[in-house]
Amino acid sequence: MMEQMKQRGSGVLLHVTSLPSSYGIGDMGSGARAFINFLAQAGQRYWQILPLTPTSTFLGNSPYSSFSAFAGNPLLISPERLAADGWVRLADIQQGASPTLDRVDYEAAEALKRRLLDVAWERSKDALDGDAGFAAFVRRHGEAWLNAFAAFSVLKERFGGAAWNTWPREYRDREGDALRALRAEAGPALRKVCFEQYVFFSQWDALREYCRGKGVSIIGDLPFYPTYDSADVWEHRDIFQLDERGEPLKVAGVPPDYFSETGQRWGNPVYDWGVLMRSGYAWWVERIRHNLLLADIVRLDHFRAFAGYWVVPPEEETAMNGEWETGPGESFFSVLRESLHDLPIIAEDLGLITQDVIDLRLAFDMPGMRVLQFSFGPDTGESVNSLHNHCVNSVVYTGTHDNNTTLGWYEDDLGDEGRARLGEYAGHPVGARDVVRQMMRLALMSPARICIMPMQDVLGLGAAARMNTPSMPQGNWGWRVPPRKLSPRVADGLRRMCALYGRC
C-alpha cells in the first residue's frame, strides 16, 4: 500500500467526461487543470475517475464496456492540447468550439475529435519516423497490447463494426498469414491508431504530472471482466472459457439476491484461471501494471470474484440457473505483490460479501469500500456501511457513480422509514435542505482513512445530476459540471469541513 493511503485524507469522484470544456465532452485540457486547481484549493488529496478506455454509443457510452482494457479513449483528447502541442492549428479547433453544455453530446464530440485527429495525422504522419517519443511509446506498448488493438480497430472498421467472432475465419482465429498480410496492406491505418494512442497517453501523462505538482493523487478504476467484443478477448482467447470458435462456454453475472429475483446476467466471458495461473497471471499483472501508469491507486471492481464468481450458461436469459466457481484467491495476489512490490489497490467489496472475500482482502491489507447510502435500512446497527462499523483501512463514500446523488436518494429512494432512521442516527431531524451536508459530515468523520465524495454531492445537486442508473441501458454517463460551479467559495467551504475532521 502506498504511503499516502496510510494517511487520513479525502477526495472527489468526477469522471473526465463530466469536466467543463467547449468541445461537447470533458477532456484533458484547461477544464481538467481548473478542476485539479479546485481540488488543491479545497484541500483534497484524491481525484477518483472512472475507466479511461474507449467507449461506444452502441454500448451506451459506458466506460465499463470497452473494445480494449488497455487503450485510451480518443474522446478525452483535448483539442486545446492538440493545438498547444503543434498537432493542429488554432483555426482547426475553433471550428468545433461551442458553449459548454450540461450534458455530454457523445455523437457531436466523436465527430469533432475524429475530424481533428484526422487532421493531426495527415500533418504529422511523415514526420513520425523522427519522433523519438512516438518510437518509445510503440516499443513500450506494442507487444503488450497496442499492436493487437490497432489490428482489431482496423479490422472492425473493415467489417462494418461487426463483432470479431463473425469475421472471416482467418481474422477471427488470428491466423499468421492473415495478420502478416494485414500489416503489409494496412500499415498506414495501423500506424494511425498507434498515433492516436500516443497522443492520448502523452496528454494523460502531462495531466498526471500536473496533479503531482498540486499534491493530488489519482484513483483509477479497473473493471473485472473485459467486454467480449474486445481486442483483449480476440487476442487472448486462451485465458477465457471459450470453445474452438471463440464462443463463450459460460458468461458472467451475479446470482439472485434481495435486489433482483433473477440475478444479473452480464454476459461477459469468464476467465480460465487455470491457464492464467500457469502463465504466472501474466495478462492480469500487465493490466494492473499498465493501470498504475495511469493512476496512483486502482480500484478493483467486483473484487469478490477473486474469491468466487458466478457463471451462467450462455443460453440462459437470466442469471438464475448459474453456479459458483472458485477464483484464484491468494495465489493471484501473491504473484501480483511479488511482481509489483506494492499493492496500491482499493477492493470494491460491496454487496453480499462472504467471509472468504473478507479474508482475502485482509490478507493483503487492501482497503474495502463503505457507502453511507447503504446504511439506513432496517439493519443500520449491523451494516458494515454504517459509520460506527467502519474500520480505519477502508474508503468511505456518500455514494458512488452507480448511486443516486445524495439529494436524489433522500427525495426519491430513502422512503419515510429511512428518513426517520437517518434523523435518529444524526440526533436531529434531517431534511432535503441539509441532508447532503449531513451525509458529507458523516463520511468525513468516519475512521476510514480515505473519504471520497461525488462532485454532485459537493455541489448539492439532485437526481437530474445522477451519473448512472445500472438497470437503464441508455441515457447514462452524460452529466457534466455546470459552468462556473468550481468556485473559490465552494472550494473554501469544502476545505473547512475536511479540516474539521482532520483530512487536510
Side-chain angles (χ1 to χ4, degrees):
M1 183 191 300
M2 63 182 290
E3 196 61 34
Q4 183 174 339
M5 294 177 71
K6 298 178 181 179
Q7 301 173 11
R8 191 167 172 82
S10 59
V12 174
L13 169 60
L14 180 74
H15 193 37
V16 181
T17 58
S18 296
L19 291 165
S21 84
S22 299
Y23 302 97
I25 189 171
D27 58 38
M28 296 182 279
S30 59
R33 284 162 175 76
F35 177 65
I36 296 165
N37 293 342
F38 169 88
L39 292 176
Q41 184 179 352
Q44 303 305 294
R45 295 181 178 171
Y46 300 102
W47 175 17
Q48 181 165 338
I49 59 174
L50 305 184
L52 296 170
T53 47
T55 56
S56 166
T57 52
F58 179 74
L59 298 173
N61 303 306
S62 171
Y64 295 89
S65 299
S66 180
F67 295 131
S68 174
F70 290 81
N73 188 350
L75 293 183
L76 305 183
I77 290 174
S78 162
E80 297 169 337
R81 303 306 302 178
L82 280 176
D85 293 337
W87 299 116
V88 300
R89 300 188 181 101
L90 280 174
D92 296 321
I93 70 172
Q94 289 167 351
Q95 295 175 20
S98 61
T100 298
L101 306 175
D102 60 358
R103 301 285 298 178
V104 175
D105 188 338
Y106 280 98
E107 292 185 359
E110 184 169 1
L112 171 64
K113 302 297 175 75
R114 177 54 46 210
R115 177 179 67 79
L116 290 175
L117 288 170
D118 287 346
V119 170
W121 167 249
E122 289 299 322
R123 291 181 178 165
S124 63
K125 60 183 180 182
D126 295 333
L128 283 181
D129 286 339
D131 189 320
F134 177 71
F137 175 78
V138 173
R139 281 196 305 271
R140 182 173 194 176
H141 299 287
E143 290 302 316
W145 62 271
L146 181 60
N147 294 340
F149 175 70
F152 180 88
S153 301
V154 169
L155 288 170
K156 196 160 188 64
E157 183 173 359
R158 176 180 294 186
F159 298 122
W164 65 264
N165 62 316
T166 67
W167 295 349
R169 175 185 49 77
E170 64 270 25
Y171 295 115
R172 181 198 71 189
D173 295 342
R174 293 177 48 81
E175 295 180 359
D177 289 345
L179 294 183
R180 281 189 289 273
L182 180 69
R183 288 193 291 271
E185 70 194 41
L190 296 169
R191 195 169 170 85
K192 182 183 178 186
V193 176
C194 295
F195 167 72
E196 292 175 355
Q197 289 300 306
Y198 172 55
V199 171
F200 174 92
F201 280 90
S202 297
Q203 289 197 3
W204 186 258
D205 288 347
L207 190 64
R208 190 175 175 195
E209 188 61 32
Y210 191 85
C211 279
R212 290 192 187 102
K214 296 293 183 178
V216 175
S217 295
I218 297 174
I219 301 176
D221 200 332
L222 194 155
F224 185 78
Y225 290 115
T227 302
Y228 174 70
D229 186 22
S230 66
D232 313 283
V233 179
W234 177 62
E235 183 184 16
H236 299 285
R237 279 165 54 170
D238 59 313
I239 68 172
F240 298 94
Q241 297 188 44
L242 308 175
D243 65 19
E244 66 279 358
R245 292 176 53 84
E247 304 292 338
L249 295 169
K250 302 170 184 176
V251 297
V254 290
D257 58 20
Y258 174 81
F259 301 101
S260 173
E261 293 181 356
T262 59
Q264 298 177 46
R265 182 192 182 280
W266 295 336
N268 305 70
V270 296
Y271 298 105
D272 187 327
W273 285 109
V275 171
L276 278 162
M277 182 177 65
R278 289 191 290 274
S279 73
Y281 303 106
W283 182 83
W284 259 102
V285 171
E286 179 61 30
R287 187 184 181 200
I288 293 181
R289 192 194 310 276
H290 177 80
N291 274 266
L292 288 172
L293 296 175
L294 300 169
D296 301 283
I297 303 167
V298 172
R299 187 194 84 124
L300 275 185
D301 197 27
H302 198 45
F303 176 81
R304 73 107 47 247
F306 287 105
Y309 55 97
W310 188 252
V311 299
V312 183
E315 65 273 10
E316 292 286 336
E317 295 184 359
T318 73
M320 293 179 66
N321 297 319
E323 61 182 359
W324 288 105
E325 291 192 355
T326 303
E330 291 195 14
S331 167
F332 170 76
F333 287 102
S334 295
V335 170
L336 192 62
R337 184 166 58 188
E338 183 178 342
S339 300
L340 303 180
H341 307 297
D342 195 14
L343 296 181
I345 288 171
I346 296 170
E348 186 274 289
D349 57 348
L350 304 176
L352 298 175
I353 298 302
T354 49
Q355 189 61 45
D356 56 343
V357 182
I358 298 170
D359 292 342
L360 180 61
R361 180 179 63 77
L362 293 176
F364 292 88
D365 197 30
M366 289 178 281
M369 291 175 58
R370 302 293 175 258
V371 180
L372 286 184
Q373 284 190 22
F374 296 154
S375 67
F376 295 102
D379 64 339
T380 294
E382 297 75 34
S383 172
V384 296
N385 291 292
S386 294
L387 178 66
H388 56 274
N389 289 325
H390 292 182
C391 61
V392 171
N393 192 25
S394 60
V395 183
V396 59
Y397 296 76
T398 50
T400 74
H401 64 274
D402 283 334
N403 290 87
N404 204 338
T405 69
T406 289
L407 179 56
W409 163 79
Y410 180 87
E411 293 179 332
D412 302 335
D413 306 332
L414 186 56
D416 291 340
E417 289 186 7
R419 295 187 194 101
R421 197 172 290 112
L422 171 59
E424 291 175 4
Y425 198 92
H428 58 80
V430 176
R433 295 182 61 182
D434 64 339
V435 64
V436 178
R437 192 169 184 83
Q438 179 63 55
M439 288 286 281
M440 288 174 61
R441 284 189 179 278
L442 289 176
L444 289 166
M445 71 173 63
S446 167
R449 287 197 189 102
I450 300 176
C451 171
I452 302 294
M453 298 158 286
M455 191 67 204
Q456 293 94 322
D457 287 355
V458 173
L459 298 177
L461 302 178
R466 182 170 185 164
M467 190 62 167
N468 180 48
T469 303
S471 60
M472 188 171 69
Q474 298 292 329
N476 294 313
W477 316 111
W479 178 76
R480 299 180 71 188
V481 176
R484 297 177 296 280
K485 286 293 186 179
L486 300 176
S487 68
R489 180 186 62 81
V490 175
D492 290 344
L494 183 57
R495 173 186 280 274
R496 288 195 301 272
M497 190 184 298
C498 292
L500 185 63
Y501 297 106
R503 295 194 180 271
C504 63

